[in-house]
Amino acid sequence: MKILELRGVKKRYHANSALNGIDLSIEKGNSLTVLGPNGSGKTTLLKILSGIMSPTEGKVIYKNNQASENDRKKEIFFLGHKNSLYNSLTVLENVNFVCRLFSRNNGDASVENILREYGLWERRNDPVGELSQGMKRRLAIAKGFLIDPDVFIMDEPFSGLDIRWRSSTLSKIKDFKRQKKSLILSTHLVVEGYELADYIAFLHRGKFLFIKKKEEVDIEEINGLFDSPEETLK
């Protein structure tokens, strides 16, 4: 079953084009890693897939249009560059808020477990504004796993994490994949992105250079694209 599709999607910001006619189909339970240089349109693409941004042209289809817009908002979780936290609220209040937003009735044990897993349980009653940037990033990631969405869209999920928490998050994403849920992510960490993918897409100037099964492309080829002169990427 196709869970998400884009058909002829374009996005313009005033005179600038961020996406130039994107077609994409993602099957339920598959994972897609989107790679590409800065400014290629990755963040715009993920925001449109998640429903927090509308395309200028084209269609976004979720579950063959069988799901309502309200269902889509409750079934897709977007982790962006910004952590989307409320600094004046405590760690626990932030978590409880997102659970209500996604209509999740998580028990106290689930909340405690995820906060302990991300080293935040002892800070649960502290305002988020008092946390370090690394802790804020961990809280943002923990929220997504607590929600346990049908589709998890991650934009640079490892950004701001040290080696320990990067490894922990990588393991957690693998656990999510094993549940046969859908994962879409962008990252500058080619090795991690490759490891998590069923499919690899390379975006350049708002267009896909390719979308391939992981087995059809190797890391050396991907690194070669990043190292290639601009004029050779077509």
Side-chain angles (χ1 to χ4, degrees):
M1 173 187 173
K2 294 178 182 179
I3 195 163
L4 262 174
E5 291 182 79
L6 299 184
R7 295 181 183 175
V9 164
K10 298 181 180 181
K11 183 64 180 181
R12 289 188 294 272
Y13 298 101
H14 304 294
N16 299 314
S17 292
L19 297 177
N20 298 301
I22 294 290
D23 295 308
L24 177 64
S25 178
I26 299 169
E27 295 286 332
K28 180 177 174 60
N30 281 344
S31 60
L32 172 71
T33 294
V34 182
L35 301 170
N38 290 335
S40 60
K42 298 188 300 297
T43 294
T44 298
L45 172 67
L46 297 192
K47 286 183 176 181
I48 288 175
L49 282 167
S50 67
I52 65 174
M53 179 183 287
S54 298
T56 306
E57 296 180 29
K59 291 184 177 181
V60 182
I61 301 169
Y62 180 59
K63 291 185 175 180
N64 298 319
N65 277 337
Q66 294 175 6
S68 69
E69 183 177 348
N70 193 47
D71 288 336
R72 184 180 174 195
K73 290 178 179 178
K74 291 180 179 179
E75 294 174 7
I76 298 177
F77 188 90
F78 176 70
L79 173 71
H81 288 285
K82 295 182 179 180
N83 293 321
S84 299
L85 301 171
Y86 296 94
N87 286 331
S88 61
L89 300 182
T90 68
V91 169
L92 205 52
E93 287 169 340
N94 269 271
V95 168
N96 289 335
F97 176 79
V98 78
C99 286
R100 290 195 299 272
L101 192 65
F102 280 81
S103 300
R104 297 297 196 270
N105 187 22
N106 296 89
D108 292 342
S110 297
V111 172
E112 180 176 349
N113 287 341
I114 193 69
L115 290 180
R116 285 192 182 279
E117 192 169 352
Y118 274 88
L120 294 165
W121 180 247
E122 301 303 323
R123 304 294 302 271
R124 63 189 181 279
N125 294 318
D126 293 346
V128 164
E130 296 179 4
L131 301 182
S132 68
Q133 290 303 311
M135 286 181 173
K136 289 179 180 179
R137 189 59 175 172
R138 278 149 47 195
L139 177 56
I141 294 169
K143 287 194 310 177
F145 287 120
L146 182 64
I147 294 305
D148 194 27
D150 286 349
V151 183
F152 204 159
I153 298 179
M154 300 176 159
D155 193 5
E156 297 292 345
F158 306 107
S159 177
L161 300 178
D162 61 25
I163 293 175
R164 173 192 174 188
W165 295 110
R166 184 186 299 175
S167 176
S168 176
T169 298
L170 182 64
S171 176
K172 194 75 174 172
I173 296 173
K174 290 178 180 177
D175 289 342
F176 180 83
K177 276 172 52 66
R178 279 190 281 270
Q179 298 177 50
K180 300 301 181 182
K181 295 192 174 187
S182 302
L183 172 71
I184 305 163
L185 66 90
S186 73
T187 178
H188 285 98
L189 302 177
V190 175
V191 173
E192 285 83 349
Y194 188 87
E195 186 175 352
L196 292 169
D198 295 316
Y199 290 83
I200 303 282
F202 197 94
L203 193 64
H204 177 68
R205 289 190 173 183
K207 291 185 177 181
F208 285 128
L209 296 187
F210 64 76
I211 305 173
K212 296 180 180 180
K213 290 182 178 179
K214 181 169 71 172
E215 294 79 12
E216 297 173 347
V217 60
D218 57 37
I219 291 178
E220 289 74 18
E221 180 182 347
I222 295 167
N223 286 332
L225 289 172
F226 279 108
D227 294 335
S228 296
E230 180 77 13
E231 61 271 13
T232 67
L233 295 178
K234 295 182 180 179

